[in-house]
Every structure is written in structure tokens, then in C-alpha cells.
């Protein structure tokens, strides 16, 4: 399953790249792309585990970029 989410308060392109790299290392993430210009996260994960993976992505985002929020 692939879904896109709006990112609120991602500050710079380097922050976006750092966040993308960290998300792609999580178990269950097939692919993650963070687009700084569009302020968007596109996440791909298995259908049956998507909600669990998304919860881990949200938690990781808080750790890596505390000011950034994923709008669901």
C-alpha cells in the first residue's frame, strides 16, 4: 500500500533527506520519499502492516525532527 501525507514544519532540504533516510531504515518500510518542496511524505509498506509501520514512522519523525508533524 502506498499513501501520501502532508508534513507540517519540515524546515530544510537537509532535514527532509535526514528524515527520509531514517524512515527507510525502519523494518516494514518498503519505500519512503520525503519531498521538501511539496512538504509531503509518500510511504509504501505491506497492506496488512501499514498502520503499524505508520505509527513507527510518526514516532521516528518526532525523534528526528521534533517540530515536524505528519498530518493524517
Amino acid at each position: 500500500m502506498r499513501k501520501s501525507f502532508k508534513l507540517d514544519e519540515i524546515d530544510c532540504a537537509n532535514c527532509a533527506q535526514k528524515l527520509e533516510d531514517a524512515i527507510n531504515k525502519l523494518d516494514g518500510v518498503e519505500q519512503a520519499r520525503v519531498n521538501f518542496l511539496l512538504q509531503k511524505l509518500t510511504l509504501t509498506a505491506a497492506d496488512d502492516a501499514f498502520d503499524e509501520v505508520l505509527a513507527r514512522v510518526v514516532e521516528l519523525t518526532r525523534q528526528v525532527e521534533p517540530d515536524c508533524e505528519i498530518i493524517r
Side-chain angles (χ1 to χ4, degrees):
M1 175 184 299
R2 178 184 298 161
K3 288 188 177 181
S4 294
F5 303 93
K6 179 163 177 32
L7 294 174
D8 188 37
E9 297 294 326
I10 190 94
D11 297 329
C12 66
N14 287 336
C15 298
Q17 186 63 53
K18 182 171 73 170
L19 182 59
E20 179 180 303
D21 292 343
I23 292 171
N24 275 308
K25 292 178 183 175
L26 283 176
D27 287 339
V29 173
E30 293 174 12
Q31 183 180 40
R33 294 284 178 241
V34 175
N35 187 313
F36 172 68
L37 292 176
L38 296 178
Q39 301 280 298
K40 183 172 91 169
L41 164 68
T42 302
L43 179 66
T44 305
D47 291 353
D48 59 340
F50 192 87
D51 291 335
E52 179 184 325
V53 171
L54 179 58
R56 282 188 269 149
V57 167
V58 168
E59 181 61 33
L60 178 70
T61 300
R62 282 190 203 118
Q63 293 172 10
V64 175
E65 288 297 320
D67 294 338
C68 182
E69 180 182 352
I70 297 174
I71 308 298
R72 298 189 224 186

